[in-house]
Amino acid sequence: MNNNKKVINFLPYILVISILLLLVTFGNGNATKVFNYNEFSASAEKMEFKDVRMSVGTTVVNIGGTYENNGKLENFTVSVPKTDENIQWLSDIFAKNKNTKVEVLDANRETFMEMFLKNFFPFLLLGGVAIFLFSKMNAGGSNKAFEFSKSRAKIEGNIKVRFKDVAGCDEEKEEVKEIIDYLKDPKRFTDMGARIPKGMLMVGPPGTGKTLLAKAVAGEADVPFFSISGSDFVEMFVGTGASRVRDMFKKAKQTAPCIVFIDEIDAVGRQRGAGMGGGNDEREQTLNQMLVEMDGMEENKGIVIIAATNRPDVLDPALLRSGRFDRQITVNLPDKKGRYEILKVHARNKKLSSEISLENLAKRTPGFSGADLENVLNEGAILAVRDKRKVITMADLDEAIDRVMMGPAKKSKKYTEQEKRLVAYHEAGHAVIGLKLKDADKVEKVTIIPRGQAGGYNLMTPQEEKMFPTKADFMAQITGLMGGRVAEDVMFNEISAGASNDIQKATKIAKAMVRSWGMSSLGPIQYDDGSGNVFLGRDYSSGSNYSGEIAYEIDKEIRKIINECYDKAKEIIEGNKDLLTLIAETLIEEETITSEQINNLVEYGSIHSPEEIKKQEEQNEDSNVENIQNAEEAKVAEEETVKETKEKAEVEKSFDDALKELTKHSEE
């Protein structure tokens, strides 16, 4: 089948090349000399003709053939007026040479079909090839000419994704189960007088599984799945987007029951009139048509619109009202249990070592989305293949987490000795705050190996994941962020630029505490609009919703929080200099230490516990005993070898003596 397609694709080129070759062959191959009547009448007496073909018409006589010119045969043609004198003259000239072969042709012998093929067929063939090439250039997919207004929605049937393939969003599954029940058995709902939601809007951070959940709904209901991106509606041609919306809904009605999934709907569903300089008329027309189509959908006709976005704050209010998108489902980042379930799903086809605990891995990855967790397992598998291991180890997954968070380790980047000590004490400062402050995050791993833009980092996880963190939690978090800068100040009486990211995070938290969460002396008043990301078209002209005096008070409160946390961090660091030095010096030597090793440092002053040291000593003793036994066995074996060698030499000597004695007797 593929070979036939290749031949068809090359067919136009083969035809064009063949026609060109024919033209070249017939045009230049024979070099025919065309005489006019005067030239021919003047030179005909001297020409030696070989072959002559005469076609006598009503007014002229067409003559063609060959003649000899300087020993070479050349073709010629000429038209002579038809008169009795000319015909007699031609007959005499051709009869003069006995070697001349004359053939008289009937002028009416050529049929109409022959004339047509001779005169018009080449032009028709060239025209057909040109049309064929033009059609091939404009064929294929969505680039066909005059098909700009057609919907680009991809229709998928027999979806394989099921709810078992989607983990970490149990509540969201419950919200969409009614849609599945309706698509399977709509009569139950219509008998009760219930109207199924026309549309559902899935909102959440990137990578949380919104698209996967929508596919799972189609898979569970076993209905066709239309998928399209919001950006596929808008084109440079005016009216194209609205036409595509109409075509998409038309196809959906023909395929009902079905699910229409619009990904990144904010690309077309943004607030109208919010564009700079008058807005985008084409996008707004597309949105208007979508609103009309969703209103025009009859109730309980088996069409469910599911849309996904990361920016619900920029969507037009008319799109979100009941009757269009009746239900809004928030797909948040998974908690520890959700991460564990997601890891189990993605670990199905992975060869994991028996030492790996997915539950512990879930504890170490707070804030990871489902896509991040899948990437962690995939990176771990790639590292195992790179190192030619048969299973994925915990070390592979540790490195994979670091890669997803910070990027690959820059092992070629070397510190100076002074920089290495500075980074070690900086990271040790974070670790000490995590160990000694009550509400601070737990230290999981500390490293001074550079990654990304960071010279080193601490992997710290919350003691327990909370839905509503308190002021004490935020204060402890800021204090932990200040730990690195404080350690530099206390130990070296110097500060570096390495704390810039810590300062940025701490300032962001302090601003939110004052402006959004009311955790300052300014009281429970929100001085922020709370919208998160700025929408330029809407927020460009909006002024501040507080006065200049309040802005000054806000700055004072933010500074107060940061200074209070800095002083708290300094108090802890100065009270635990020995622990700080111990962790930092261990980091300088080991470069990376884990939470278990840090706990051993706190309790025993060494990264190894007494049990580990004892076990290692026992292993060393066993190894020494085994080495002694092996040495003794080697010695005994050597003595036996020497003894065997001596005995063999004695036997050989006795044999030689006997042979000599026998030879002597023989000679006598």
Side-chain angles (χ1 to χ4, degrees), residues 420-437:
K420 190 172 184 179
R421 293 185 64 81
L422 186 68
V423 173
Y425 275 90
H426 179 102
E427 300 303 333
H430 290 302
V432 169
I433 300 296
L435 291 168
K436 296 300 180 179
L437 188 60

Side-chain angles (χ1 to χ4, degrees), residues 520-591:
S520 70
S521 60
L522 295 179
I525 302 173
Q526 189 179 59
Y527 296 105
D528 193 7
D529 56 12
S531 62
N533 296 324
V534 174
F535 181 26
L536 187 61
R538 177 193 62 203
D539 302 329
Y540 177 75
S541 59
S542 62
S544 173
N545 53 3
Y546 47 83
S547 65
E549 290 80 1
I550 293 297
Y552 175 68
E553 293 295 328
I554 290 174
D555 291 340
K556 284 177 60 178
E557 289 297 322
I558 293 173
R559 189 179 299 110
K560 179 182 176 183
I561 290 173
I562 297 293
N563 289 338
E564 184 179 338
C565 293
Y566 189 92
D567 293 338
K568 181 68 175 177
K570 192 169 186 178
E571 178 185 343
I572 295 173
I573 292 294
E574 288 181 339
N576 295 274
K577 281 187 179 180
D578 293 339
L579 179 59
L580 176 70
T581 303
L582 179 60
I583 295 176
E585 294 299 327
T586 306
L587 268 175
I588 292 172
E589 183 178 351
E590 301 290 336
E591 292 190 336

